[in-house]
Amino acid sequence: MYPEEYRTVGIVIASVVLCFSCCCLALCGVVAFFCVNGIPQRFHKPLEDAVEELQKKGYLPRLDDFDEDLRGEVEEKLPDLEDLEEVEKKLENVFSPKVALN
């Protein structure tokens, strides 16, 4: 039916796809394991050191600094309560039934 070379190529391609699929499945299993059980205690310090090193080099953002900056920006953007009350009074005057009838 088909030449012997085509059959061999098909077997090689199927083997490579099967190996790749098994590797992906194994990697998903490892990730699921760590998501459910967490990272073992003995790896915490090396991972923290590696993350700090990557943050120093600039490859990873420092989330602590970002969180503080974000809080500061939000607090600066929030208006004072008195200003909000003034705006509310102005809006009451604009949308009052008396104004709508005139």
Side-chain angles (χ1 to χ4, degrees), residues 10-20:
I11 292 172
V12 169
I13 290 174
S15 299
V16 170
V17 169
L18 182 64
C19 288
F20 182 74

Side-chain angles (χ1 to χ4, degrees), residues 72-86:
E73 288 178 15
V74 170
E75 289 175 1
E76 290 173 4
K77 291 180 181 178
L78 291 176
D80 293 330
L81 184 59
E82 295 82 21
D83 295 338
L84 289 176
E85 289 172 350
E86 289 177 22

Side-chain angles (χ1 to χ4, degrees), residues 13-31:
I13 290 174
S15 299
V16 170
V17 169
L18 182 64
C19 288
F20 182 74
S21 299
C22 289
C23 289
C24 289
L25 187 61
L27 184 61
C28 288
V30 169
V31 169

Side-chain angles (χ1 to χ4, degrees), residues 12 17 21 32 38 41 46-48 55 67-68 70 77 82:
V12 169
V17 169
S21 299
Q41 188 66 34
L47 284 174
E48 288 173 359
Q55 287 176 341
D67 194 28
E68 290 173 6
L70 186 62
K77 291 180 181 178
E82 295 82 21

Side-chain angles (χ1 to χ4, degrees), residues 77-96:
K77 291 180 181 178
L78 291 176
D80 293 330
L81 184 59
E82 295 82 21
D83 295 338
L84 289 176
E85 289 172 350
E86 289 177 22
V87 170
E88 186 179 7
K89 287 179 185 176
K90 290 179 183 176
L91 288 176
E92 284 177 3
N93 292 335
V94 171
F95 293 112
S96 69

